Amino acid sequence: MTPGNNGASTPEDDDPFGYLYADGQANGATPPSGGGGYGYPGSVNRVRAVGERQYGQQQPGYGQQAPTAQYGQQAAPTAPYGQVPQQGAYGQPNAHYAAPETVPGGAPTGRQSSGGGGRGRGPNTKGLLIGAIAVVAAVVIGISVAMMNGNGDENKASSGASASASTSQSASPSPSSTVPASGELPKTDAKALRLEGGTTTASEFQGAKADGGIYVTGFNQVGAKVTWTVNGIQKAGTYRLYVRYGVPGADADATLLVGGQANSQPLNMKNFGNTPAGDWEKGWKTTWANVTLTQGTNTIVIACNDGNQCNAVLDQVYLTK
């Protein structure tokens, strides 16, 4: 050997393309048509395509025929130098890929599907659909119930208003009648009585207890009268009729009729307490008379007849036992 030349198979002369040069050919480099690797004979076979080497298998050299696979085995396809091996058909093993299950210790550790041919369990779309339908149904039912309750409240309010109106109309007495509450004897303002013979209402004098301070005036003339129709007397008997009135510091009286019959005694409306003459606001008094009533409806009349001194105003009337 010449100095600086250690032979054709030494690492520094491992030139894959040595056969293209004169010095390479002089040293025995041949094209890759036979056994061995690239470059000079017996050179180290170092170049491999990505993924070409597999564990436990012998790879053919460049240009060599891949060994025929034995019966029942899949042959690993090879590609020419510089080309990417073609991918196998769908579902077939790739020669450049070893499944993790085939490598020792490479078995999957994740949870395996319990069935379905190895397919993972997908989302439970049926359950999601049922849940969505249930939510929509609950919303619709809630809206329907709310609407029904709203209509019920409106109907109740309307019925209540109608009932209240009917009760108010039936409970309100006519100007000539009074219906006592259960267990109570009737009481009313004189202005609610039937006014006849020139009687009318006024509120000039202060001190009347009737609603609005309104009293009956015009009673100081013959023929003037007020009529009270009393309904609901539960038991016939003697009752006491009270009359609140006002006089201008002078005595007065009136005729009292029950059921069309004159009472034996006139209704006395004296100036009790001797209030000053002409002072109507200090002349408010209360008097009473016994009356005999029948069960049911009774008519009581306070009239100014001949012989009566009727210079008075009437405020309220009521019954007691």
Side-chain angles (χ1 to χ4, degrees):
M1 281 187 273
T2 59
N5 187 352
N6 296 325
S9 60
T10 57
E12 61 268 19
D13 293 325
D14 190 7
D15 187 354
F17 304 100
Y19 65 89
L20 298 177
Y21 307 102
D23 56 349
Q25 295 175 4
N27 290 322
T30 60
S33 59
Y38 301 102
Y40 302 101
S43 61
V44 179
N45 187 6
R46 296 178 179 177
V47 180
R48 296 288 186 273
V50 176
E52 182 178 354
R53 179 179 293 278
Q54 298 186 8
Y55 295 100
Q57 297 183 4
Q58 182 66 34
Q59 301 294 328
Y62 177 79
Q64 294 182 351
Q65 181 67 32
T68 304
Q70 296 182 3
Y71 179 76
Q73 296 181 353
Q74 179 68 33
T78 59
Y81 174 74
Q83 297 184 2
V84 178
Q86 294 183 354
Q87 188 73 19
Y90 178 75
Q92 296 182 359
N94 192 324
H96 301 285
Y97 171 75
E101 291 84 353
T102 62
V103 181
T109 59
R111 186 177 67 178
Q112 300 296 321
S113 174
S114 60
R119 296 173 56 187
R121 186 174 182 180
N124 189 355
T125 56
K126 184 176 181 181
L128 294 176
L129 179 60
I130 293 175
I133 293 174
V135 171
V136 173
V139 172
V140 172
I141 292 173
I143 294 174
S144 300
V145 171
M147 294 178 65
M148 292 175 64
N149 289 337
N151 292 336
D153 292 339
E154 291 178 359
N155 293 335
K156 290 179 180 178
S158 177
S159 300
S162 300
S164 298
S166 300
T167 303
S168 177
Q169 292 177 359
S170 61
S172 299
S174 66
S176 61
S177 65
T178 300
V179 178
S182 178
E184 295 180 2
L185 290 173
K187 177 179 181 178
T188 188
D189 295 336
K191 66 178 181 179
L193 304 181
R194 187 171 66 206
L195 307 182
E196 299 176 87
T199 54
T200 185
T201 58
S203 58
E204 179 183 359
F205 308 141
Q206 300 296 316
K209 292 185 178 180
D211 186 24
I214 299 174
Y215 51 86
V216 174
T217 187
F219 192 69
N220 58 345
Q221 54 186 325
V222 175
K225 63 181 178 180
V226 294
T227 301
W228 185 22
T229 301
V230 183
N231 298 314
I233 299 300
Q234 299 180 358
K235 184 178 180 181
T238 301
Y239 293 82
R240 182 168 290 184
L241 173 66
Y242 281 89
V243 178
R244 190 170 190 269
Y245 63 97
V247 291
D251 293 339
D253 59 25
T255 299
L256 186 62
L257 298 94
V258 179
Q261 299 295 322
N263 213 27
S264 59
Q265 296 294 328
L267 181 65
N268 193 356
M269 293 186 289
K270 290 185 176 182
N271 181 25
F272 300 109
N274 298 317
T275 57
D279 193 345
W280 289 91
E281 293 186 359
K282 292 182 179 180
W284 294 106
K285 317 291 181 180
T286 302
T287 189
W288 60 271
N290 289 330
V291 293
T292 301
L293 303 178
T294 61
Q295 184 178 3
T297 301
N298 293 264
T299 301
I300 300 176
V301 176
I302 303 173
C304 182
N305 292 339
D306 291 335
N308 294 132
Q309 301 294 324
C310 307
N311 192 18
V313 294
L314 306 178
D315 184 15
Q316 291 178 325
V317 292
Y318 56 94
L319 290 172
T320 66
K321 291 183 177 180

